Amino acid sequence: MSLVDLTERLARSLHLSADLMAKLHKGLVEQRTSWVSARPSAVEAPVGLLEGLAQQISAEQQQQEAWLAEATGSLPNPGHLPADRRRVNVSVLCRHLPETAAQRLSEASKRAVSAAHQVRTEQALGDRLLRFSQKAHDGLLQNVAQNLGTASDDVGGYDVQARRVHGTLV
């Protein structure tokens, strides 16, 4: 397979990866939004979809790596390095391609990098929100436990018929 054909496949794969990452980003945003709105049913639904998207992205990445490895063998090797020690990326490939093919590959790469950045940003935000929620709930539970242990006030509640019960926490 020629270098141009390989890079065309790589460009299509990068576009597909960018589309998948855009869907993953949208799913992560929707999941975070449903967490904030406290709708458990909305949180559980997209988890399987997001996992499927992550697996598709991983499969595309493996295919891209295989195509890069194949393209590496087609490039000149001025340093006489073994193929496994050569670093070939999109910018190196673009230098060896006709202008139109190089431009398509470069645009696909930029789009995939941008989508990956959005996914990483959303993932980091979600992680921070989960850590904040955990700390807030841990602190709240500690305060409740301390207040129950030291409070002389009525910490009663309501029974099944909505009648006030004094002196016990129902």
Side-chain angles (χ1 to χ4, degrees):
M1 184 179 313
S2 74
L3 186 58
V4 174
D5 291 339
L6 276 173
T7 57
E8 286 298 322
R9 287 184 179 188
L10 183 59
R12 283 194 302 271
S13 180
L14 287 169
H15 279 298
L16 177 59
S17 292
D19 291 341
L20 291 170
M21 285 186 273
K23 288 178 185 177
L24 181 62
H25 176 257
K26 181 181 178 200
L28 289 170
V29 169
E30 289 172 356
Q31 187 178 37
R32 176 176 47 87
T33 304
S34 58
W35 272 100
V36 171
S37 67
R39 290 179 299 161
S41 61
V43 173
E44 293 172 3
V47 171
L49 174 67
L50 297 178
E51 183 64 30
L53 287 171
Q55 289 174 358
Q56 286 178 323
I57 291 167
S58 177
E60 280 301 312
Q61 184 179 11
Q62 289 175 358
Q63 183 63 54
Q64 291 163 10
E65 289 172 1
W67 284 329
L68 277 174
E70 190 174 338
T72 300
S74 302
L75 296 176
N77 187 0
H80 305 291
L81 292 172
D84 61 336
R85 296 207 41 219
R86 293 172 62 193
R87 298 280 182 201
V88 175
N89 56 26
V90 170
S91 61
V92 171
L93 279 176
C94 286
R95 286 183 277 194
H96 298 282
L97 294 172
E99 188 176 335
T100 57
Q103 187 177 12
R104 282 193 301 269
L105 181 61
S106 179
E107 288 172 1
S109 176
K110 287 176 185 175
R111 186 168 174 243
V113 167
S114 175
H117 177 71
Q118 287 179 326
V119 169
R120 282 191 303 268
T121 300
E122 185 60 34
Q123 182 68 39
L125 177 60
D127 288 345
R128 278 187 250 138
L129 285 172
L130 286 174
R131 282 194 306 273
F132 170 78
S133 177
Q134 181 182 12
K135 287 179 184 177
H137 284 90
D138 288 348
L140 176 68
L141 291 175
Q142 283 180 343
N143 289 340
V144 168
Q146 289 173 352
N147 288 340
L148 286 176
T150 61
S152 60
D153 298 358
D154 177 26
V155 291
Y158 295 89
D159 66 8
V160 179
Q161 283 90 26
R163 292 180 296 212
R164 180 86 168 128
V165 179
H166 295 281
T168 62
L169 184 60
V170 179

